[in-house]
Amino acid sequence: SSVKLNDGTAHPQIGYGTYKVGFIPASASAVTAGAQAAGGEGGTAAECVRAALDVGYRFLDCAEFYGNEAEVGVAIGDSGVPRDQLFLASKCWTTTIFAGRDAVRKQVLKTLADLRTDYIDLYCIHWPVPGKHVDAYLELEACQREGLIKSLGVSNYAVEDYKELMEHATVKPTINQIEVNPFLFRRRTLAFFENEGVKIQAYRALRDGKAFGDPTVVELARKYSRTPAQILGRFCVQHGFIYIPKSTKVERMRENAAVLDFELSEPDMAALEGLTTPDAIAKFRELYRKCVNRDTPKDGTLEGVKTDITED
């Protein structure tokens, strides 16, 4: 199953997320790190990614920040899966974006070397670093012209960040990777990007397992004879979003991907959408404000940060 991007590319709808697989970044957000912040999760990144490829995943979601691209490259090499069957995605981190265009180009080349490939299918700006993200994106456009990158994207962009970018960019981003799940379902933002022809890659679609006990999710899992993870994953793909579950366990990798052979009713989809609370939107706002300058010399400040974004 794939989704067609605005540049004509077929993007696999289900991928394997490599965040915190074999390695936990030093500044991993407490909101997303949870109890796992002590170290990498089960097995090395190379072992986990190799297992995901063996299970059948072909889209790998990588990033400079995840600190494990070289190991992902080892897994790709060991798997024997031909390059043209893979969809490889990566992102440059805030520190690189802040450092400027040369640093962005160097990072793209490093990712290519680490992943053992001469092109990447999708490359994204990880966070809209104030005063810096537009230039970084323009460098990605240059890399795309040279054939190093096939499709361009962004991540964690508010509507206002995208509008700022499009005042200068000549290539429209194909995707925006943001958190999407029933507990953070930002209708206006999702509708805006859909209207723009920018596809949504959903991270934390499974909310790191923290919502598996939610009464609505549990009830729907019982109703459809599925697991809570499959209900959340189906919610994501049924909306047409790109779904990037992550697990280090083979049986979970299989379970997470088994979401294409059933459908949730419209009332059940609506019930899930109704789980987003004002408190969740407030937490999102705080995380956005904290993260756009994260790890840069302006970390901990609101310098340049947009404080009036479309939150829902």
Side-chain angles (χ1 to χ4, degrees), residues 111-132:
T111 286
L112 293 175
D114 284 350
L115 295 180
R116 305 182 181 191
T117 183
D118 53 4
Y119 70 94
I120 191 134
D121 296 278
L122 172 69
Y123 201 90
C124 302
I125 301 294
H126 208 143
W127 282 93
V129 179
K132 303 288 185 178

Side-chain angles (χ1 to χ4, degrees), residues 133-134 137-138 141 157 159-173 196 306:
H133 71 97
V134 172
Y137 188 89
L138 295 178
E141 289 189 349
Y157 271 50
V159 167
E160 291 72 18
D161 297 313
Y162 173 84
K163 287 179 174 174
E164 178 192 13
L165 175 66
M166 290 314 295
E167 286 171 14
H168 306 276
T170 55
V171 179
K172 183 182 271 204
E196 282 290 311
K306 297 178 181 71

